[in-house]
Amino acid sequence: MSIYVLSIVVSVLFLIGILELVRRQKLKEQYSLLWIGFSVFLIIVSIDVRLIENISLWLDVKYAPALLFLFGLLFCFALIIHLTVVITKMSKQLLRLTQEITILRERGVTERDHD
């Protein structure tokens, strides 16, 4: 089996794996879009290797496979930024909920004391 066929098979299996995680609700749809896009990109690059070679010529990259590492690194950065934004939002929500629960508990305690 050639490396091209292997890369196509792995890319398709990766896409199927992502879709299966979404179907089983192990991965939310909003987070899966980035992974689905990445796997489609992998499939396209695996099917047409000349695409990476043409992009590397256009960007004046001497070693075309290095461009794949660059795309992978950029994908990782985008994913890290996205996850950081999500964590920040959830931290703010958690703080707000904790404050609201504390206020509600204090109101409950003081209302029971007055009865």
Side-chain angles (χ1 to χ4, degrees):
M1 178 184 307
S2 73
I3 188 68
Y4 300 112
V5 174
L6 181 64
S7 66
I8 292 170
V9 169
V10 169
S11 301
V12 169
L13 289 175
F14 185 75
L15 178 60
I16 290 169
I18 295 298
L19 294 175
E20 185 63 21
L21 287 173
V22 171
R23 188 185 72 78
R24 291 184 181 183
Q25 298 180 347
K26 302 274 185 189
L27 182 64
K28 286 186 135 192
E29 293 88 1
Q30 67 190 47
Y31 304 127
S32 68
L33 293 178
L34 196 59
W35 290 108
I36 290 171
F38 182 69
S39 61
V40 167
F41 172 76
L42 285 177
I43 291 170
I44 291 170
V45 168
S46 297
I47 290 172
D48 188 11
V49 180
R50 291 171 294 159
L51 179 65
I52 286 294
E53 292 170 356
N54 290 336
I55 293 172
S56 66
L57 285 174
W58 182 67
L59 293 175
D60 197 31
V61 174
K62 304 298 181 211
Y63 183 60
L67 197 59
L68 289 175
F69 288 108
L70 175 64
F71 288 152
L73 189 62
L74 292 175
F75 175 78
C76 289
F77 285 151
L79 183 64
I80 290 169
I81 288 172
H82 173 71
L83 292 176
T84 304
V85 168
V86 169
I87 289 171
T88 302
K89 181 180 174 184
M90 293 177 107
S91 295
K92 288 179 182 178
Q93 288 175 341
L94 182 63
L95 178 65
R96 177 76 179 162
L97 286 171
T98 304
Q99 291 170 341
E100 288 179 11
I101 288 172
T102 304
I103 291 169
L104 290 173
R105 283 184 180 162
E106 286 298 317
R107 284 184 186 165
V109 168
T110 56
E111 287 176 6
R112 278 186 249 143
D113 291 341
H114 292 295
D115 290 340

